[in-house]
Amino acid sequence: MGWLPFALLRWAKATRTNPDSIVTQKLSELASLAEPHGGGVRWPVHNATRAPIFMDGWCNGTAGHVLLFALAYDVLRVDGFAELAERGAESAWAAEMELGTLCCGLASIGYAFTAAYQTSRQLAE
């Protein structure tokens, strides 16, 4: 997940300020890496020593990206970010895992579903 954009968005929300334009630029770059999966999208984890892999959980996984793009929509009100949050949640729904941990397991996916639901409610307002 994009930790720096996430932190800067949280700061902007907490301080009720606009984030620097680099945040939107980095979010757009991350958005361009989304790949179709399970009716939604997911993001590859890149490592210079091996082929990209995909994770479903919070850290570097689809659930973390859902949280990032839901927050990005909440702060910036860019509809494309809301769509990425919802499509990421669709991909997370297709995850085939049995871990119950918060970070890498089903709990993180459940938390991402909550964020996607809140984003869809904001869109409806």
Side-chain angles (χ1 to χ4, degrees):
M1 181 170 94
W3 290 108
L4 186 56
F6 188 86
L8 293 171
L9 287 167
R10 293 289 296 173
W11 179 255
K13 185 173 180 175
T15 60
R16 296 184 176 147
T17 60
N18 292 322
D20 191 278
S21 61
I22 191 73
V23 173
T24 303
Q25 179 184 338
K26 292 301 176 187
L27 289 168
S28 295
E29 288 175 17
L30 189 57
S32 73
L33 299 174
E35 296 188 15
H37 175 256
V41 295
R42 65 182 179 176
W43 290 262
V45 177
H46 291 280
N47 180 323
T49 63
R50 63 176 187 244
I53 60 170
F54 295 90
M55 299 176 69
D56 298 312
W58 198 325
C59 301
N60 299 308
T62 302
H65 287 87
V66 170
L67 295 169
L68 172 63
F69 283 107
L71 177 60
Y73 175 74
D74 186 36
V75 173
L76 300 168
R77 292 294 195 238
V78 174
D79 289 344
F81 295 153
E83 180 183 349
L84 284 168
E86 291 179 353
R87 294 192 65 217
E90 288 179 40
S91 177
W93 182 257
E96 295 181 14
M97 66 166 38
E98 297 179 15
L99 292 172
T101 65
L102 177 60
C103 181
C104 298
L106 295 172
S108 66
I109 291 173
Y111 193 52
F113 290 157
T114 301
Y117 170 74
Q118 290 171 338
T119 300
S120 68
R121 287 188 62 212
Q122 290 174 348
L123 281 170
E125 292 175 353

